[in-house]
Amino acid sequence: MTWLDDEASELHPDIAVEVGLGALTATLRRKLTFDDTRRIAGSVDVDTCLRASFPNEPRWDFVVGYGEHAWFIEEHPANSGTNFDEMIAKAQWLRALVRGKRIAARSRGLHWVSTGATVSQLGFSRKRRLLAELGVRGPSRTLTVG
């Protein structure tokens, strides 16, 4: 049992922590690199765990415990402005879920890993600024954790 087990259950009773990166999709696992894989404290498929409790909400995808920190990761398309609107809603939902919880203090940010082509023309748009204000980094094709 790790700190992630305790703090994830504080978020919602339906949260289930998996060993290592077991909660992540195979595609996402290939896009992540870690400074030291021995420091992985577990992973959670937030979207799947909370689908029944929040069926109509824009649920965030994953959290990975690494060392003493939580990395919130969303695997999502980034090829249109609509995707940015979806990510804003997801980030707002996640922020509300973790507000006041211990895991919020462990956060190393909200990370958007794109599932394909990434739009670049929205570089300084209102949507990108709002994502930054919400703490979302990306979209990026890969993510280095550590």
Side-chain angles (χ1 to χ4, degrees):
M1 185 172 247
T2 69
W3 64 266
L4 184 58
D5 293 284
D6 291 337
E7 293 182 22
S9 65
E10 179 187 28
L11 289 177
H12 195 276
D14 294 339
I15 295 280
V17 177
E18 295 194 32
V19 174
L21 302 176
L24 279 56
T25 65
T27 304
L28 181 57
R29 284 193 302 267
R30 286 191 295 271
K31 293 179 179 186
L32 303 179
T33 57
F34 294 84
D35 291 341
D36 182 356
T37 56
R38 295 172 295 179
R39 297 187 66 208
I40 297 170
S43 58
V44 176
D45 182 343
V46 176
D47 182 33
T48 300
C49 288
L50 298 183
R51 184 170 289 139
S53 297
F54 301 96
N56 299 314
E57 297 296 321
R59 297 173 306 277
W60 195 263
D61 281 344
F62 305 103
V63 62
V64 172
Y66 182 77
E68 296 298 318
H69 299 103
W71 292 67
F72 295 95
I73 304 169
E74 176 72 22
E75 183 180 30
H76 198 79
N79 57 0
S80 76
T82 302
N83 299 140
F84 282 71
D85 293 331
E86 294 163 349
M87 286 300 298
I88 290 165
K90 286 173 172 281
Q92 290 170 331
W93 178 84
L94 180 64
R95 289 276 179 212
L97 180 71
V98 303
R99 186 174 297 122
K101 305 292 194 294
R102 292 177 294 163
I103 198 167
R106 292 185 184 268
S107 177
R108 282 292 191 225
L110 285 62
H111 303 272
W112 179 3
V113 178
S114 63
T115 57
T118 303
V119 171
S120 61
Q121 63 265 31
L122 295 172
F124 297 102
S125 72
R126 179 190 64 78
K127 293 176 185 181
R128 190 172 292 272
R129 281 193 308 275
L130 183 51
L131 283 169
E133 289 170 11
L134 290 167
V136 177
R137 299 173 186 158
S140 62
R141 293 191 176 136
T142 62
L143 176 63
T144 299
V145 178

